Amino acid sequence: MAEPAVWTNRMLAALEQGVQGGKWFRLIDKVYLPRNLLSACRQVLANQGAAGVDHVTVEAFADHEPAHLKKLADELATGHYRPQSIRRVHIPKPGSTQLRPLGIPTVRDRVVQTTLLHVLEPIFEIDFAPQSYGFRPGRGCKDALRRVDELLKQGYTHVVDADLQSYFDTIPHQRLLERVAGKVADGRVLKLIEAFLKAGVMEGLTQWTPQAGAPQGAVLSPLLSNIYLDELDHHLAVLGLQMVRYADDFVVLCRSEAEARQALEEVRRWTTQAGLTLHPDKTRIVDASKDGFDFLGYRFERGEKRPRKKSLQKLKETVRAKTRRCAGRCLTAIIGSLNQTLRGWFEYFKHSHTWTFEQLDGWIRMRLRSILRRRQKKKGRGRGKDHQLWPNAFFARHGLYSLKTAHAQACQSARR
């Protein structure tokens, strides 16, 4: 998974065999390598994203790409490059009234962070623990969920459901840099990472310098967050504990309550010495054979899994916005827009129990019947005789995506 613009066959061989002393020297020249900058720039432009504090959009950056990249290469080579402030905004947390802080670096800083990611990721990725799934090449949420499911079926039903309070905002800078320095001995690269961590934060007219944390939204933050928690991953593995982690969201699955209590104490001890905090209300021990726990959007409970309440709320909010009774679009257009949402949602939650989809299908058709009632000058929701007037087959003929049908087809394919 190494970036070919950076990693030659000789470097890959050194990566596999291990470098002398376990540390990598002379990496800064790989950061400002023209082909690395070009590759990073293309990635940033493809990802789009908002402008930073300098108001330069990806389109404006692309219009003068050669000049921008030459300037970045010169500044990085001479040591004159300085990150600009990060623009902080707040976005809603899914299914919640709370807001999540998001940091938006400038386009030029996103390009440089991506070049750094190309250089650093393989160095750390090769030794990351297998129980870590978040923000890693070739791994994702479904792999983590599959592992949790496997462990539960094997009898690991006592679960430490852990929550790191404001993790991305509280990572200690110095300790994080020390862990990076455990493998990277290039002082200029370390200073560049430190400069990104300590870049000013601009929120409205207020600006400050962060004393801790790696801003969510920055290209480097996911890798840095994994580097900091990798020690915990390996520590629990040495103790024989079954941990599944996706970024800062993790569970430890145990065979008994006593083992789960010991695991929680071990996690609490480690987080305290690492300068992190477990959320006092959200961290708990659960017997999944009797109660349930949420992980990566799913609810695991008594041998079954389904979308957690917040995941259902988020879907329903989206569906409501697309099926308002005063919607002026034709039914075909409304269903076409709905189908985009439903297909994407099902792809992630298709492993849920079948009744989840049956209930949602009924609720969605009710929303559509309510629109059709309104167009006949009738009040209220679609129910009762409306089922005869607009039966399920009516919506099927109009192409409405059926979650229940999709689930049945997915189960049939899996059996084959």
Side-chain angles (χ1 to χ4, degrees), residues 160-176:
V160 177
D161 184 8
D163 185 281
L164 290 172
Q165 191 166 6
S166 303
Y167 172 62
F168 279 88
D169 289 333
T170 58
I171 304 173
H173 286 170
Q174 192 55 43
R175 295 183 191 181
L176 172 59

Side-chain angles (χ1 to χ4, degrees), residues 5-184:
V6 176
W7 288 86
T8 63
N9 289 336
R10 184 178 176 183
M11 290 175 66
L12 288 172
L15 185 66
E16 291 290 338
Q17 297 165 10
V19 292
Q20 187 175 4
K23 292 190 177 185
W24 288 77
F25 295 81
R26 298 186 297 277
L27 291 175
I28 190 65
D29 60 319
K30 311 297 188 299
V31 174
Y32 59 77
L33 202 64
R35 60 177 180 268
N36 188 15
L37 279 164
L38 181 60
S39 174
C41 181
R42 296 295 160 83
Q43 283 184 242
V44 171
L45 297 182
N47 290 337
Q48 293 294 305
V53 295
D54 61 357
H55 305 294
V56 176
T57 63
V58 290
E59 293 81 9
F61 194 92
D63 288 341
H64 303 281
E65 179 186 283
H68 284 307
L69 295 187
K70 185 180 184 307
K71 184 178 180 182
L72 286 175
D74 292 342
E75 290 180 353
L76 288 165
T78 58
H80 291 119
Y81 172 83
R82 297 291 183 275
Q84 294 174 284
S85 294
I86 292 172
R87 182 166 68 89
R88 175 173 265 197
V89 297
H90 290 83
I91 60 174
K93 285 187 176 182
S96 171
T97 57
Q98 295 180 320
L99 297 176
R100 173 182 289 126
L102 184 69
I104 305 176
T106 60
V107 177
R108 71 190 292 272
D109 289 341
R110 299 206 292 269
V111 170
V112 175
Q113 287 194 37
T114 304
T115 64
L116 266 172
L117 185 67
H118 288 170
V119 172
L120 296 174
E121 187 171 54
I123 293 173
F124 290 93
E125 174 64 31
I126 197 169
D127 291 323
F128 276 159
Q131 63 265 38
S132 165
Y133 294 89
F135 308 117
R136 295 185 59 188
R139 289 169 162 249
C141 290
K142 290 185 178 180
D143 300 300
L145 291 166
R146 193 176 297 115
R147 180 59 178 159
V148 169
D149 206 29
E150 290 172 356
L151 290 168
L152 288 170
K153 289 175 180 176
Q154 291 172 20
Y156 292 86
T157 56
H158 290 80
V159 182
V160 177
D161 184 8
D163 185 281
L164 290 172
Q165 191 166 6
S166 303
Y167 172 62
F168 279 88
D169 289 333
T170 58
I171 304 173
H173 286 170
Q174 192 55 43
R175 295 183 191 181
L176 172 59
L177 290 168
E178 287 171 1
R179 293 183 187 179
V180 177
K183 285 194 171 188
V184 175

Side-chain angles (χ1 to χ4, degrees), residues 169-210:
D169 289 333
T170 58
I171 304 173
H173 286 170
Q174 192 55 43
R175 295 183 191 181
L176 172 59
L177 290 168
E178 287 171 1
R179 293 183 187 179
V180 177
K183 285 194 171 188
V184 175
D186 189 322
R188 291 177 64 184
V189 168
L190 293 172
K191 286 182 179 178
L192 189 56
I193 296 171
E194 183 176 13
F196 279 121
L197 290 173
K198 296 185 180 300
V201 177
M202 179 75 74
E203 185 172 359
L205 298 176
T206 306
Q207 183 170 1
W208 73 92
T209 302

Side-chain angles (χ1 to χ4, degrees), residues 326-385:
C326 57
R329 296 181 299 167
C330 67
L331 184 63
T332 301
I334 294 172
I335 287 176
S337 177
L338 269 178
N339 285 349
Q340 292 178 351
T341 297
L342 297 176
R343 285 194 178 96
W345 189 87
F346 176 77
E347 185 57 33
Y348 188 77
F349 289 105
K350 62 184 176 184
H351 303 291
S352 301
H353 195 277
T354 184
W355 59 259
T356 299
F357 308 113
E358 193 171 346
Q359 289 183 343
L360 280 172
D361 277 344
W363 180 78
I364 291 166
R365 287 191 295 263
M366 179 275 293
R367 297 283 305 178
L368 294 174
R369 289 186 181 106
S370 299
I371 293 174
L372 295 173
R373 279 181 61 86
R374 174 71 177 263
R375 291 178 181 178
Q376 291 191 350
K377 310 300 182 183
K378 297 177 181 178
K379 296 181 180 180
R381 296 189 301 171
R383 64 179 80 187
K385 293 182 180 180

Side-chain angles (χ1 to χ4, degrees), residues 131 133 140-141 143-149 159-162 243-253 292-300 305-308 311 348-349:
Q131 63 265 38
Y133 294 89
C141 290
D143 300 300
L145 291 166
R146 193 176 297 115
R147 180 59 178 159
V148 169
D149 206 29
V159 182
V160 177
D161 184 8
M243 176 192 194
V244 181
R245 182 174 68 81
Y246 190 95
D248 60 331
D249 196 357
F250 67 91
V251 288
V252 185
L253 295 98
F293 65 96
D294 296 337
F295 187 61
L296 300 181
Y298 271 88
R299 176 75 175 177
F300 291 85
K305 53 184 178 292
R306 61 181 184 271
R308 67 172 185 164
S311 300
Y348 188 77
F349 289 105

